[in-house]
Amino acid sequence: MFRKKVEHVGDILDSFLREEGLETPLLQRRIVREYENIAGAVVARYTAEKYIKNQILYVKITRPALRNDLSMMRSELVRRLNMAVGSYVISDIHFY
């Protein structure tokens, strides 16, 4: 008695998360966690808060000069963060 349709556990888990509406919150959590790795340790030191709302990552930066520099790199950060989680999760980053 062999089952003809064999699926990987990862595929079953992905399907379950998608069906239960948990895939997007999980990916958003991964984006927030990956931000420090992508932006770097120096930027992470001056980052106070991070959250996602309506596909926009909001990041509170405590140094105005750094906030200005990061604003110029915004599109590259968005691309790298989405690549890190393997899905299109955020469309923009706002630094405040």
Side-chain angles (χ1 to χ4, degrees):
M1 282 193 230
F2 289 102
R3 293 185 75 179
K4 292 185 179 186
K5 185 180 178 188
V6 177
E7 295 182 54
H8 292 282
V9 173
D11 295 338
I12 295 170
L13 184 58
D14 288 342
S15 176
F16 172 76
L17 291 173
R18 194 172 302 111
E19 289 172 8
E20 296 298 318
L22 299 172
E23 183 180 36
T24 299
L26 180 62
L27 290 173
Q28 288 176 344
R29 181 76 175 123
R30 287 180 184 168
I31 285 269
V32 169
R33 192 176 44 216
E34 283 295 318
Y35 172 79
E36 293 180 5
N37 295 333
I38 301 295
V42 174
V43 174
R45 190 175 341 164
Y46 298 111
T47 300
E49 300 173 11
K50 303 176 293 283
Y51 65 92
I52 296 176
K53 183 176 180 182
N54 298 330
Q55 290 188 323
I56 298 174
L57 174 62
Y58 292 90
V59 181
K60 183 174 184 178
I61 303 292
T62 58
R63 299 287 173 138
L66 181 59
R67 188 178 319 130
N68 188 34
D69 290 345
L70 289 172
S71 292
M72 291 186 285
M73 298 173 28
R74 186 169 52 213
S75 62
E76 178 64 20
L77 286 172
V78 168
R79 186 185 68 75
R80 290 177 62 192
L81 285 166
N82 284 328
M83 284 182 57
V85 296
S87 182
Y88 182 80
V89 179
I90 60 171
S91 60
D92 200 4
I93 301 176
H94 289 197
F95 299 101
Y96 64 100

